[in-house]
Amino acid sequence: MKYLFLLLFIVLPYTKSSAQSVSDFEIEFKEIAQQHFPDKKVDSLYKKYNHILFWFNPNSQLAASMKNMETANYPLSNFKQSNVYKENIDALLADTLNRKYSFGCFLACAANDTSKTDKITALLKRSDYKDFWLATILTYLHSKDFEPIIKCIIRYKDNDGTSYLIDDFLRMDKQRLNKFGLDSISSKDRVIQCLAIRTLAKTENSAQKEKVLKETVITTDTAMKGWAIAVLAHLHAKEMLPVVKPYLANKDLHQICLKAIASSTSFIDIQYLDSLIRNPKSDDALLHALLSSENDISLRKWFVLVKNEKLPDNYYIDLFGNSLFYDDRYFDQICEIIMKTPNEKQLYQLMDYFKNKKDERSINFLNKCLNHPVASVKEKAKYFLNKN
């Protein structure tokens, strides 16, 4: 962990350093190579070329963009063909000093030098899997050996920064992630089991995948059930009511159980949703499940509830994360609701349907909204028209 904070300390000063190009880096690298990579010179490269050596780090990308610097994936890909790179990379990776072998690892990652994954893996093992950055680098070099990365995730399981490493791990080869998920979902280690469940969301559904996930819902504790149900919802698994019905009354699982049902197109699940929406007032959890579903059947049920004003007075329409909502097929329903719904808070959110629409009928409707009796609708319409 100490080493993680050391490198974060090196990253942060970049915002005060002069931005440099790849060609500048290559020149300075050659110069310090001739001096056998003195510590201060290596630190200087970290600071001046943070956007190159830490190209995969969002903070580095943000700092570079604030300086109008162009960033790229694997920015030193061409540099690895140079003699100065070939003559020094192995020596850097073999050095016993953290500063130097770590620099070699970042260099190999920026160069997309996948031939060095075995050496970087050996360094990670030598650290007893406590080097967060080396594990991250292995994900970007598409290492075929998941085990060292997973061991590092386990080492840092109680650290907030682990989520970044997990995100990087989940971006690795999808088919291999799928195999890991199926092989490891019954692991006794909670970290591994949770990772396994999450990896199964990265590829399309299959009978085998759906079966093991449903078994996991039945056999695990509440937290793990939640992850498995969330993945089943993401995969639009069918016949979810029999699986989640025992947990609908669980306050921690109620919302995700409803979303799994709303994501299904099975008759039994649709029938259950219909029984719920016949209530005089729909609860927030049901409304959220219908709206967040990428299932046309469920989304249309949400529109019916909104048009019939079966909403709690304080209901907040959350449009985040569902791209289906913005589909043109819902244009007429959105327009009808905006013209008839009295709740100003809900209307204000619904107007976001038009935020990126520039077609003629959308423009015509926004012009019509300039005379809407609700001030916030007029405000949004004017704003979107001015953007166009």
Side-chain angles (χ1 to χ4, degrees):
M1 182 58 71
K2 185 187 294 185
Y3 179 61
L4 171 59
F5 287 122
L6 170 63
L7 281 180
L8 287 175
F9 177 76
I10 292 172
V11 170
L12 293 175
Y14 169 67
T15 55
K16 296 183 179 180
S17 304
S18 57
Q20 304 290 330
S21 67
V22 169
S23 58
D24 292 328
F25 174 87
E26 293 175 1
I27 292 169
E28 289 199 45
F29 180 86
K30 187 173 183 178
E31 290 175 356
I32 71 166
Q34 293 170 347
Q35 303 169 40
H36 305 293
F37 299 99
D39 291 350
K40 289 185 179 180
K41 296 289 186 178
V42 171
D43 288 349
S44 175
L45 287 186
Y46 273 125
K47 293 176 183 178
K48 291 173 69 175
Y49 301 100
N50 183 270
H51 61 300
I52 292 174
L53 293 169
F54 287 82
W55 63 270
F56 51 82
N57 184 277
N59 291 330
S60 297
Q61 292 177 357
L62 176 61
S65 67
M66 291 173 66
K67 290 176 171 287
N68 295 318
M69 286 291 297
E70 188 174 328
T71 58
N73 294 341
Y74 305 105
L76 298 178
S77 292
N78 293 329
F79 182 54
K80 72 180 175 186
Q81 306 301 330
S82 67
N83 288 334
V84 68
Y85 175 87
K86 294 176 181 178
E87 290 166 0
N88 289 281
I89 185 62
D90 287 334
L92 282 168
L93 292 173
D95 203 291
T96 56
L97 294 177
N98 276 357
R99 183 178 273 99
K100 290 187 181 179
Y101 73 68
S102 298
F103 176 63
C105 293
F106 283 104
L107 184 65
C109 185
N112 195 22
D113 190 349
T114 57
S115 70
K116 306 306 176 190
T117 53
D118 286 348
K119 292 184 178 181
I120 297 171
T121 298
L123 289 169
L124 179 57
K125 290 179 179 178
R126 196 171 78 190
S127 75
D128 199 19
Y129 308 100
K130 294 178 182 178
D131 196 314
F132 177 94
W133 287 112
L134 297 194
T136 300
I137 286 168
L138 286 173
T139 69
Y140 283 93
L141 288 179
H142 310 293
S143 173
K144 294 181 180 179
D145 186 0
F146 283 180
E147 185 179 358
I149 301 167
I150 293 168
K151 285 185 175 181
C152 186
I153 290 171
I154 293 171
R155 284 288 191 186
Y156 287 107
K157 64 182 179 181
D158 297 322
N159 187 280
D160 291 341
T162 314
S163 61
Y164 296 103
L165 179 54
I166 291 173
D167 287 344
D168 290 332
F169 172 74
L170 293 174
R171 281 193 286 267
M172 296 183 75
D173 181 78
K174 290 182 179 181
Q175 295 305 320
R176 294 184 58 249
L177 284 174
N178 192 65
K179 184 178 186 307
F180 163 77
L182 292 172
D183 290 346
S184 306
I185 196 167
S186 298
S187 173
K188 300 301 181 184
D189 187 293
R190 289 182 58 80
V191 176
I192 293 177
Q193 186 176 39
C194 187
L195 274 179
I197 294 170
R198 295 178 66 180
T199 60
L200 294 180
K202 297 302 175 179
T203 53
E204 292 182 2
N205 199 4
S206 67
Q208 181 188 13
K209 182 185 294 189
E210 193 167 316
K211 180 175 181 288
V212 298
L213 283 167
K214 287 180 177 179
E215 288 173 353
T216 302
V217 173
I218 296 168
T219 59
T220 56
D221 62 21
T222 297
M224 216 61 72
K225 285 184 199 298
W227 279 110
I229 295 169
V231 173
L232 285 163
H234 173 76
L235 296 171
H236 307 292
K238 296 182 178 181
E239 298 184 357
M240 286 302 301
L241 180 60
V243 179
V244 303
K245 192 173 183 178
Y247 317 111
L248 280 165
N250 185 315
K251 63 182 179 62
D252 295 321
L253 296 175
H254 179 66
Q255 177 73 75
I256 193 61
C257 287
L258 285 177
K259 183 169 182 178
I261 295 169
S263 297
S264 167
T265 56
S266 296
F267 177 75
I268 189 174
D269 298 319
I270 295 169
Q271 191 178 45
Y272 179 73
L273 291 174
D274 286 338
S275 72
L276 294 180
I277 67 176
R278 282 195 289 269
N279 292 332
K281 284 283 186 179
S282 300
D283 68 4
D284 283 2
L286 174 61
L287 290 163
H288 179 77
L290 295 173
L291 178 57
S292 63
S293 170
E294 295 180 351
N295 177 356
D296 176 69
I297 297 172
S298 293
L299 192 50
R300 288 187 185 278
K301 291 183 187 300
W302 181 84
F303 281 119
V304 170
L305 289 172
V306 176
K307 283 194 286 187
N308 293 338
E309 298 181 30
K310 283 194 169 185
L311 306 174
D313 293 336
N314 62 348
Y315 171 60
Y316 178 82
I317 296 175
D318 183 3
L319 301 179
F320 179 77
N322 189 353
S323 58
L324 178 63
F325 175 85
Y326 298 95
D327 193 281
D328 289 342
R329 78 184 85 169
Y330 306 118
F331 180 88
D332 291 334
Q333 295 184 75
I334 294 285
C335 293
E336 182 183 353
I337 293 169
I338 288 172
M339 286 304 175
K340 294 183 177 180
T341 298
N343 190 307
E344 181 171 1
K345 180 180 178 181
Q346 292 159 9
L347 284 174
Y348 188 79
Q349 297 304 120
L350 279 174
M351 284 296 290
D352 279 349
Y353 175 80
F354 296 97
K355 64 182 177 182
N356 293 316
K357 293 192 180 295
K358 300 180 181 180
D359 57 285
E360 185 177 354
R361 67 174 181 166
S362 294
I363 300 300
N364 290 339
F365 180 75
L366 288 172
N367 276 307
K368 187 177 179 181
C369 287
L370 294 175
N371 297 314
H372 198 283
V374 175
S376 61
V377 173
K378 290 191 285 190
E379 176 189 330
K380 276 273 182 86
K382 185 176 180 181
Y383 175 73
F384 292 144
L385 286 168
N386 288 338
K387 279 181 63 178
N388 294 329

